[in-house]
Amino acid sequence: MSKRLLPPARDSPTKRARSQPRRRRPSDQTSIDSFFKSPSSVVNTASAEPLFPASPSQPRPSQAPILNGKATAPAIIDVDLSSDPEDVQEIPAVIECSTSGPAKPVAVDNSPPQYPTLSVEPTSFVFDTCVWPTTTRAPYSFLAHALCTLSGTRSRIVILNTLTNALRTIVRYDPPSLLPSLYLLSNSFVPQYVQLELGLGPSVISKAIQHVSGITPMALKRLYNQTGDPGDVAFLAKCSIRTLVPHAPLTIQGIYDALLDIAHVKGKGAVSRKQGMVEKLLVAAKGEEIRYLVRTFSQHIRVGATRTSVLTALARALVLTPTATAANSESDSSYTAHTELIAQVRRAIETSSKKGEDKFKAHLLEKFTTAEALLKKVFVQHPNYNDIIAAILETGLDGLAERVPLTVGIPLQPALGSPMRSLDDVYERIGSQPFTAEFKYDGQRVQIHAVKVGDGKHSVNLFSRHLEDMTEKYPDVVYLVHHFFATSQEMSSFIVDAEIVAIDISGDSLKSFQELSNRHRKDVRLHEIKVSVCVYAFDLMYLNGQSLLKKPFRSRRELLRTYFSAVRPDQTGAARFDHVESCESEEGRGAIEEFWSRAVDSRCEGLMIKLLDHGEVLEATRPKTDTSRKQSLPATYEPGKITPENISLVEAKKDYVAGLGDTLDVVPIGAWHGNGRKAQWWSPVLLAIRDTSSDMFVAVCKCMSGFSDSFYRSMKDRYSEDSENCSKLPLWGDVEAGGYSPSVYFRPHEVWEIRGADVTLSPVSVAAKGLVSENRGLSLRFPRFVRIREDKSVEDASSTEFLAGMYREQQGRGMVQGSTDGGQLVDPALTDAELDDDCEEVELD
């Protein structure tokens, strides 16, 4: 533990005089005042230079105190545990307590270890010797070094290089640390579907920082107002505290194990025990370890390492540096780049040999692409790093798909459709290929996993679209599954894709998603259910031990209808089962259009268009001539894909269809303070869409219409200025505000659906910039809030490509006559009173 000189006890003057003389308050408080100033103004008294020099690319402090590339010893500052910010004392030295004599100053080396630059081209990254003692496990400081590099850049190339080189080093020198490294880089510690949380609230983390650093609550709040990030606060609060004895270096495996231990602490006194565990880790942490340890506790490490980036980097690391087992047993593996190939690429780059560089890099790129495709395919079907890394460390990448297959009880990423805005678009893209149109119900998507475990028992798990386990929420659906097993002896296991929809039992009519969301989420009992549901099944991915993902949809649907019949159990409260209502393209376009009209008039969101069989069409981007290439249209189940090329599954929502008002799924990333009646709320709100090429959320428009007063109040609660979801500083690196300058920035974590008049060119927005115009982005005119999409994650937000497609279609129809959006929100034809009325019309769904 840290040894610090505490202030004298606040007893009577007489008692204080007897115990020890009162220390004179220093008249010069420069060192104390500097501690509470902004990070950029903190000065090393020895050199009179900023400890945290300002950087255009890194406005907040992201490094330990460094001057001219060398670590400097921070000034020793003591902040007494006092509620009075002026009642502070200065400590002249760090004191070591001894039982055999007086206290003596000691010098403990707290400088972080030096690591090589990780952002270089992976083929040029040389690590002939381990960067940490080979007798120890991989230190957490190395991972913190990688995280620090990641947080200082938005370049996708630099991010991939950094992740690749960091993982290569760990694979080479400490393979067992690969699994915890992936979890820590992914801002998690268990698979997404496992219900285990750290349970560390902001108050626990704040108290731990106070106890370890000795900083007062008021000073802590002042630091938070300056930085807006708990990790930065902890770094600044503890960087001036020296320990008396060196602590053993924190290891990646040790941090991961500690997180698991914290998450498993339950029962009476759990909060205090968790705080104690956090304090022990903070005491041992040094340098950047402090910052990223606290951010990990907060479950927000603020780096651009998305799941796709981590998987891509892992694949490249294993190609360049295979595991020891794979290197020995699979020297001829198609996934391994031999040392000579890596050297050839490096020499070609160093000598600027364009011909050699292209030749060798193409060969290496081919291996990268093959390995990345394999890892992503395995992960979307089996999103569990524990199983994947165990198989990789055992035998490498070869045969990974067979060793980590689709498994009952482990959810796979759901197949997603590409939005379409008219049936004309559907026929244009699919052509004459047979397809089916299905109702897209307004409910909650569910994966039903079930398997017989013997003795008449069954294991049942229900997973949401985001892979969250919601088995406890739907005991009526679990009862339905048991009914299927009881009535069918031929069925031993299955995975069904379906939609849970609220229904009115008396009239067999559908209810809204809002009514479904009113059900309790935990400890639901069958006889207490008030909102009845029906399970509408639309796909079958697994049956009796066999994966069906590669079978065409026609075959999967036939098996679904054969093994699962419509059911209405007699048990009170039990869920019903039925198949989605559908219409075949063979019935003619007139039948499809009539079916579409029924969907628009019902409580459905639209249609899902699915190819029945594998087919081919001419590429849309090439002239339809005899020499045009054909594009394959597989009717397989494609987990996790939502790309324009994936047209075997098409989402034709009624809000997307021309003439009914286009909608976008957007992410709120900022806001301004309201005026007049809305002064206490956020209005307008800055909205963003996804740029798939950079993994960023790019601002598209401001919105101030469609909100009710109740929604404004709930939004102010979710995005209060003292919460982790709101900051005056742009803390989140995956957000690009473009020409907008909001008063506050929001953490991107929820999806809203909005509707607009049309899409226009904008000199302010950066959304889709370069797709339709070289110097202008796209924006939405007169955007209006529709509802919160609780069923979608931010990864499901509309893409810049989709927005560009909307604009091109409008231009083709002549809906936009060269108009541009200059950032105006208000229709000049509307008065202020009409605008206020307009904002009060729509209640939150």
Side-chain angles (χ1 to χ4, degrees), residues 698-711:
V698 290
V700 64
C701 66
K702 296 187 256 183
C703 180
M704 61 182 294
S705 180
F707 303 121
S708 65
D709 285 3
S710 61
F711 181 80

Side-chain angles (χ1 to χ4, degrees), residues 156-169:
R156 180 169 174 78
I157 294 177
V158 174
I159 289 173
L160 285 178
N161 289 348
T162 302
L163 288 171
T164 301
N165 293 327
L167 294 176
R168 287 180 66 193
T169 306

Side-chain angles (χ1 to χ4, degrees), residues 615-634:
E616 292 181 337
V617 294
L618 294 178
E619 284 190 348
T621 57
R622 295 177 64 87
K624 295 185 178 180
T625 64
D626 294 338
T627 59
S628 296
R629 294 186 300 179
K630 291 184 177 181
Q631 180 182 14
S632 175
L633 294 180

Side-chain angles (χ1 to χ4, degrees), residues 108 433 504 564 626 689 699 736 755 774 815:
V108 177
Q433 305 296 323
D504 182 357
F564 300 86
D626 294 338
I689 59 176
E736 176 57 61
R755 177 182 291 113
E774 291 299 325
M815 291 181 61

Side-chain angles (χ1 to χ4, degrees), residues 480 484 496 534-535 537 560 564-569 575-579:
L480 178 67
F484 279 122
V496 167
C534 180
V535 178
L560 177 65
F564 300 86
S565 302
V567 174
R568 294 193 175 193
R576 296 182 180 182
F577 181 89
D578 208 342
H579 298 275

